[in-house]
């Protein structure tokens, strides 16, 4: 036994070697872990792709990070458009920034292709949330006819840098082209000519829509929508929250799609960001039972001239095809046929009208009409706009705020709850959530930071080079659109022009108020209630 034990024992030198090896293997990972911690804590040579500049980059080169891992704080040194960044938000968490030069490679395969055209003088704080929200729901292309603040270098430079966005400036060249357009030489829009303020804007929008049709057709667009930058498409009724899905599911013989509008119903007088703060809307007549609409009409109007403060006839999407033409800012038509038009039962346009107290004074400052009952009729088409202009032009700030609270703000909680229960008012949160997510992800701040610091307008003429089908029509001076003098003479001469009588010469559809409560409606509702109808 003793001999056997001695034969299996190890020499002392071997024991020493194994002990040292075990000690080394124990200490090594601890040392490496400690070293890594120290280097990371000191910001050393362990390269973090979200925060560190590549050590292989040439000295003085631009800092690069992995796409999708940049933080908003890294954008701040290049944030050169600070005056246009109000309410666009910043985030310190990793975000998915919007890069101007990214080519996603899938837009060509998406069907249908949808474009939006607008005429705007707004700033980035309004345009960017509006635009990227519609990108989320399937719009790929935007034709922006810009004036005022929207045409300034700090704003238009950012807009021009965004893929899928065409910026068109109101230059002398554009005005001369539109003065030769088919619209300006026909009669369906003529009742809106030679009038200021809203009428002039309505004509300008229609002319811009005509240009947008040619650009959309050249770009291979399938659908075109005219939308203001205070309006969001709400694609309810689709199998997914997608305007593309909604339009793709339509029969192929549908030419026009009406989106009834819902009107914002603000609950405070200090709203600064309507898209992010307003969730309550008044439903359109088309989406309500007639008994509910007329039965609660007076409570819903709250002493205002109409059920809605402004228009109530919605907006329309048009299939891009030959002989398509605008029919005013709210509708489209076709020169060669009566288009097949449908109205959607669930989807809507969310209209954020008078959502901010400052909207009262901004409308006043844009129009040079006199604040009299007679003069406002030639400036504004809708009664509430006329009343708002007069009060904004004649009242003190305190009086104006009181008027705003009484006529616009829904301060009566009991009335709100009643109309919410009856379905007149509704809560819609999805657009707010989408825009808030875009803001927190750093999309808006990123696109501003990555835009060129200077603006080039060299591309302008190419954006309006698409010729109208009636270029051979004699030129009409654009100055003739002003009221009085030579303009009125040319208006008289227009009546002498020989114009073909076509069924397609349908008069332009103006912004219209919803149906008005009448004595007949009252009698009909009373009869239904007396007959046992308790749905009101």
């Amino acid at each position: 036994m003793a001999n056997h034990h001695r034969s299996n024992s190890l020499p002392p030198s071997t024991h020493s070697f194994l002990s040292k090896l075990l000690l080394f293997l124990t200490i090594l990972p601890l040392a490496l872990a400690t070293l890594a911690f120290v280097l990371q804590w000191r910001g050393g040579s362990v390269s973090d792709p979200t925060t560190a500049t590549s050590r292989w980059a040439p000295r003085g080169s631009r800092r690069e990070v992995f796409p999708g891992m940049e933080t908003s704080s890294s954008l701040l040194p290049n944030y050169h458009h600070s005056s246009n960044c109000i309410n666009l938000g910043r985030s310190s968490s990793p975000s998915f920034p919007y890069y101007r030069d990214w080519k996603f490679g899938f837009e060509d395969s998406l069907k249908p292709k949808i474009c939006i055209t607008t005429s705007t003088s707004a700033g980035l704080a309004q345009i960017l949330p509006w635009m990227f929200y519609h990108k989320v729901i399937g719009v790929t292309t935007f034709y922006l006819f810009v004036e005022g603040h929207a045409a300034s270098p700090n704003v238009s430079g950012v807009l021009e840098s965004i893929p899928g966005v065409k910026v068109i400036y109101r230059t002398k060249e554009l005005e001369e082209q539109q003065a030769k357009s088919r619209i300006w030489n026909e009669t369906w829009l003529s009742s809106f000519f030679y009038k200021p303020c809203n009428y002039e804007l309505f004509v300008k929008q229609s002319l811009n829509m005509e240009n947008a049709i040619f650009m959309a057709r050249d770009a291979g667009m399938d659908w075109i929508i005219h939308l203001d930058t205070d309006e969001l498409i709400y694609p309810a009724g689709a199998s997914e929250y997608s305007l593309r899905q909604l339009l793709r599911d339509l029969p192929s013989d549908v030419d026009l799609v009406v989106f009834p509008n819902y009107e914002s119903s603000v609950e405070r007088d200090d709203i600064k960001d309507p898209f992010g703060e307003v969730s309550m809307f008044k439903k359109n007549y088309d989406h309500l039972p007639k008994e509910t609409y007329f039965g609660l009409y007076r409570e819903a109007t709250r002493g205002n001239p109409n059920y809605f403060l402004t228009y109530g006839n919605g907006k329309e999407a048009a299939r891009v095809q030959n002989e398509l033409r605008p029919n005013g800012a709210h509708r489209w038509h076709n020169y060669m046929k009566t288009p097949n038009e449908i109205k959607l039962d669930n989807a809507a346009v969310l209209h954020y009208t008078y959502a901010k107290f400052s909207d009262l004074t901004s409308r006043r400052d844009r129009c040079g009409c006199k604040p009299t009952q007679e003069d406002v009729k030639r400036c504004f088409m809708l009664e509430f706009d006329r009343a708002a202009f007069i009060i904004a032009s004649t009242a003190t700030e305190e009086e104006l705020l009181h008027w705003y609270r009484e006529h616009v703000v829904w301060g009566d909680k009991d009335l709100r709850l009643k109309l919410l229960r009856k379905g007149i008012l509704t809560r819609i949160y999805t657009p707010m959530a989408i825009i808030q997510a875009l803001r927190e992800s750093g999309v808006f701040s990123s696109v501003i930071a990555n835009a060129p610091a200077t603006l080039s307008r060299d591309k302008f003429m190419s954006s309006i080079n698409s010729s109208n089908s009636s270029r051979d029509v004699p030129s009409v001076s654009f100055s003739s659109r002003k009221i009085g003098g030579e303009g009125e003479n040319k208006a008289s001469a227009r009546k002498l022009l020989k114009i073909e009588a076509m069924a397609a010469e349908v008069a332009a559809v103006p912004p219209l108020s919803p149906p008005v409560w009448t004595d007949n409606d009252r009698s009909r509702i009373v009869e239904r209630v007396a007959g046992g109808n308790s749905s009101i």
Side-chain angles (χ1 to χ4, degrees):
M1 291 290 294
N3 291 338
H4 178 75
H5 176 74
R6 283 193 300 269
S7 65
N8 287 284
S9 63
L10 296 173
S13 59
T14 304
H15 275 291
S16 176
F17 172 76
L18 290 175
S19 299
K20 291 178 181 179
L21 179 62
L22 290 173
L23 179 63
F24 175 77
L25 293 176
T26 302
I27 294 175
L28 179 61
L30 292 175
L32 290 175
T34 303
L35 177 62
F37 174 77
V38 171
L39 290 175
Q40 186 175 12
W41 177 69
R42 296 181 56 196
S45 60
V46 176
S47 180
D48 180 355
T50 67
T51 58
T53 304
S54 172
R55 58 176 168 173
W56 305 116
R59 180 175 299 176
S61 65
R62 182 181 180 272
R63 176 180 177 277
E64 299 291 343
V65 297
F66 286 100
M69 296 301 293
E70 189 168 5
T71 61
S72 296
S73 59
S74 65
L75 300 174
L76 296 182
N78 295 323
Y79 214 84
H80 55 270
H81 296 291
S82 59
S83 62
N84 298 299
C85 304
I86 301 173
N87 295 328
L88 295 180
R90 301 173 185 174
S91 172
S92 59
S93 59
S95 64
F96 192 76
Y98 183 87
Y99 280 90
R100 175 169 50 92
D101 295 327
W102 276 11
K103 305 297 182 186
F104 294 99
F106 58 78
E107 291 186 354
D108 289 341
S109 62
L110 294 178
K111 290 290 184 178
K113 293 183 180 179
I114 307 167
C115 65
I116 287 179
T117 180
T118 191
S119 303
T120 183
S121 59
L124 293 178
Q126 180 168 329
I127 296 176
L128 290 184
W130 171 85
M131 180 186 298
F132 280 89
Y133 167 83
H134 287 105
K135 279 180 172 286
V136 168
I137 65 172
V139 178
T140 60
T141 306
F142 297 82
Y143 301 115
L144 308 181
F145 292 80
V146 297
E147 294 185 64
H149 189 45
S152 66
N154 281 353
V155 176
S156 57
V158 173
L159 299 177
E160 282 191 334
S161 73
I162 303 172
V165 175
K166 179 77 72 174
V167 179
I168 304 100
Y169 303 89
R170 179 147 292 279
T171 63
K172 181 180 179 181
E173 290 82 2
L174 177 63
E175 292 186 347
E176 289 176 349
Q177 185 190 89
Q178 291 183 341
K180 303 173 184 178
S181 72
R182 186 168 183 173
I183 285 180
W184 187 242
N185 289 278
E186 293 179 340
T187 60
W188 58 267
L189 190 63
S190 59
S191 63
F192 299 90
F193 292 161
Y194 314 114
K195 297 178 182 178
C197 298
N198 277 15
Y199 288 90
E200 183 179 1
L201 174 62
F202 190 78
V203 172
K204 194 180 296 182
Q205 288 173 327
S206 301
L207 292 165
N208 291 343
M209 290 164 70
E210 184 181 45
N211 281 98
I213 289 172
F214 292 106
M215 289 187 282
R217 195 167 59 191
D218 291 344
M221 294 291 111
D222 298 301
W223 290 89
I224 185 170
I225 306 172
H226 175 256
L227 213 62
D228 296 327
T229 54
D230 63 351
E231 298 169 329
L232 301 178
I233 294 287
Y234 177 57
S239 57
E240 55 190 64
Y241 196 83
S242 167
L243 177 61
R244 181 181 291 114
Q245 179 74 45
L246 192 70
L247 296 177
R248 184 169 61 230
D249 291 344
L250 295 175
S252 59
D253 65 339
V254 172
D255 301 307
L256 306 174
V257 181
V258 177
F259 291 80
N261 63 293
Y262 290 7
E263 190 173 80
S264 61
S265 300
V266 298
E267 300 166 77
R268 309 193 322 267
D269 60 20
D270 60 348
I271 299 293
K272 301 300 181 186
D273 174 23
F275 293 154
E277 298 179 65
V278 177
S279 64
M280 190 169 75
F281 296 86
K282 188 186 290 186
K283 280 190 175 182
N284 194 285
Y285 166 80
D286 291 317
H287 287 178
L288 288 170
K290 290 181 174 59
E291 292 79 8
T292 301
Y293 176 82
F294 289 115
L296 295 167
Y297 184 87
R298 294 195 183 281
E299 291 174 277
T301 57
R302 300 182 305 149
N304 287 320
N306 292 292
Y307 173 79
F308 276 160
L309 300 182
T310 53
Y311 77 87
N313 54 331
K315 290 296 182 71
E316 191 169 57
R319 197 182 293 274
V320 178
Q321 52 190 302
N322 291 334
E323 302 301 327
L324 177 68
R325 73 160 172 85
N327 199 32
H330 294 257
R331 293 291 187 271
W332 306 86
H333 202 68
N334 193 291
Y335 282 109
M336 299 304 295
K337 69 176 183 178
T338 300
N340 181 19
E341 179 183 84
I342 66 170
K343 187 173 292 186
L344 297 175
D345 294 330
N346 298 295
V349 168
L350 305 180
H351 185 204
Y352 296 77
T353 185
Y354 288 102
K356 297 185 293 184
F357 174 65
S358 60
D359 289 343
L360 287 175
T361 53
S362 64
R363 290 171 187 256
R364 174 198 66 194
D365 297 339
R366 289 199 305 264
C367 185
C369 290
K370 299 176 183 178
T372 64
Q373 293 290 345
E374 188 61 33
D375 204 47
V376 293
K377 290 181 180 178
R378 70 184 184 92
C379 297
F380 301 99
M381 303 180 200
L382 299 172
E383 292 181 60
F384 187 85
D385 286 332
R386 297 168 182 171
F389 179 81
I390 291 175
I391 193 71
S393 303
T394 57
T396 64
E397 187 78 7
E398 183 177 350
E399 291 171 337
L400 186 57
L401 182 59
H402 176 76
W403 188 90
Y404 182 77
R405 289 169 177 166
E406 182 179 356
H407 292 270
V408 180
V409 178
W410 288 76
D412 188 334
K413 181 179 179 181
D414 292 336
L415 179 59
R416 291 202 310 263
L417 291 175
K418 178 180 179 179
L419 296 184
L420 282 167
R421 286 195 300 267
K422 296 296 184 180
I424 294 283
L425 296 177
T426 186
R427 294 283 184 184
I428 298 176
Y429 295 101
T430 309
M432 178 188 296
I434 290 174
I435 290 173
Q436 182 64 19
L438 289 167
R439 180 179 290 111
E440 291 178 353
S441 73
V443 167
F444 305 142
S445 56
S446 185
V447 71
I448 293 172
N450 285 281
T454 57
L455 172 67
S456 171
R457 300 193 181 186
D458 295 340
K459 298 179 181 178
F460 167 70
M461 286 308 297
S462 63
S463 70
I464 61 168
N465 270 343
S466 300
S467 299
N468 289 340
S469 59
S470 55
R471 281 279 189 154
D472 56 341
V473 176
S475 174
V476 179
S477 172
F478 207 77
S479 62
S480 67
R481 297 175 194 182
K482 303 302 180 183
I483 297 175
E486 180 185 0
E488 292 185 352
N489 292 334
K490 292 194 175 184
S492 300
R494 177 187 304 281
K495 298 176 182 178
L496 302 177
L497 295 175
K498 181 178 179 180
I499 300 176
E500 295 183 16
M502 296 179 60
E505 194 83 350
V506 176
V509 176
L512 299 172
S513 297
V516 178
W517 172 279
T518 65
D519 290 336
N520 290 335
D521 299 316
R522 183 185 300 107
S523 300
R524 187 166 58 251
I525 295 298
V526 169
E527 289 174 4
R528 293 198 180 191
V529 173
N533 188 337
S534 58
S535 63
I536 300 174

